């Protein structure tokens, strides 16, 4: 089953949106396989966003991501990466439709409350960066047969 790395950024945690964001993934039918609250190091965040190093907003992004604890998660399910990004909305909340997480709860690109892997390849890289193998829970979703043919 496809897996995606989803994180609730410091502003999402500080604004009390943890339960609301988790609920969207649960109600869609995705399976939660890992979850923890963390304050990642500067080096960890620079590695996570390595493909954006050199962008004008990069240092600001790292400071924003260090401004408080983050809730890091792995969700599994059919097409979890693209589906997860759909639940989040567009990178810029001004382009995010109401009904998406960013479209419902945020206004600006530099405070867009959540992260989601943009492909299966980045998901597997991000999961390995944020979680040890022993932190990933292998379990059967009891409603599996009600969600999948
Ligand atoms: N970001 C920003 N300004 C920009 C583009 C991105 O502050 O012009 C931040 C924003 O928080 C975004 C993160 O950098 O979520 C990572 O950018 P990416 O293009 O990977 O967007 P995402 O995958 O998060 O939608
Ligand atoms: Mg990205």
């Amino acid at each position: 089953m496809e897996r995606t790395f989803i994180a609730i950024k410091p502003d999402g945690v500080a604004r009390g949106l943890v339960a609301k964001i988790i609920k969207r993934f649960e109600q869609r039918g995705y399976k939660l396989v890992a979850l923890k609250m963390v304050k990642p190091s500067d080096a960890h965040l620079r590695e996570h966003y390595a493909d954006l190093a050199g962008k004008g907003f990069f240092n600001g992004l790292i400071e924003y991501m260090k401004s408080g604890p983050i809730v890091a998660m792995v969700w599994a399910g059919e097409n979890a990466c693209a589906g997860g990004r759909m639940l989040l909305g567009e990178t810029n909340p001004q382009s995010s439709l109401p009904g998406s997480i960013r479209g419902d709860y945020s206004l600006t690109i530099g405070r867009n409350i959540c992260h989601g892997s943009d492909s299966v390849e980045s998901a597997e890289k991000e999961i390995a960066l944020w979680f040890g193998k022993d932190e990933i829970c292998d379990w059967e979703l009891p409603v599996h047969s009600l969600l999948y043919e």
Side-chain angles (χ1 to χ4, degrees):
M1 203 54 97
E2 191 172 305
R3 306 190 299 171
T4 187
F5 173 69
I6 300 293
I8 306 172
K9 296 177 176 181
D11 51 338
V13 175
R15 290 180 51 205
L17 298 173
V18 172
K20 289 189 171 85
I21 293 171
I22 289 176
K23 185 178 171 65
R24 307 262 178 138
F25 283 82
E26 281 184 330
Q27 71 189 8
R28 185 78 199 271
Y30 295 118
K31 177 171 70 170
L32 182 62
V33 295
L35 179 147
K36 64 181 172 187
M37 193 171 202
V38 276
K39 282 190 83 175
S41 68
D42 188 86
H44 180 103
L45 290 165
R46 286 176 191 274
E47 171 73 27
H48 172 75
Y49 281 127
D51 57 324
L52 299 174
K55 299 274 187 199
F57 60 84
F58 186 69
N59 286 332
L61 170 62
I62 300 301
E63 288 312 307
Y64 158 46
M65 292 295 285
K66 282 198 304 191
S67 66
I70 288 172
V71 171
M73 300 174 280
V74 180
W75 289 89
E78 183 155 315
N79 205 24
C81 294
R85 297 273 294 189
M86 243 182 265
L87 287 184
L88 299 192
E90 301 297 320
T91 302
N92 186 343
Q94 290 295 328
S95 309
S96 300
L97 292 175
S100 67
I101 293 165
R102 286 165 172 164
D104 283 348
Y105 299 119
S106 64
L107 286 167
T108 62
I109 195 164
R111 295 291 183 269
N112 61 1
I113 66 173
C114 48
H115 166 85
S117 309
D118 62 12
S119 66
V120 176
E121 196 195 354
S122 357
E124 288 305 319
K125 239 166 52 188
E126 292 171 359
I127 291 166
L129 177 67
W130 288 80
F131 289 97
K133 280 204 163 60
D134 58 340
E135 293 179 296
I136 313 272
C137 194
D138 181 22
W139 68 296
E140 186 73 29
L141 201 60
V143 294
H144 183 91
S145 64
L146 300 173
L147 291 162
Y148 299 97
E149 290 186 58

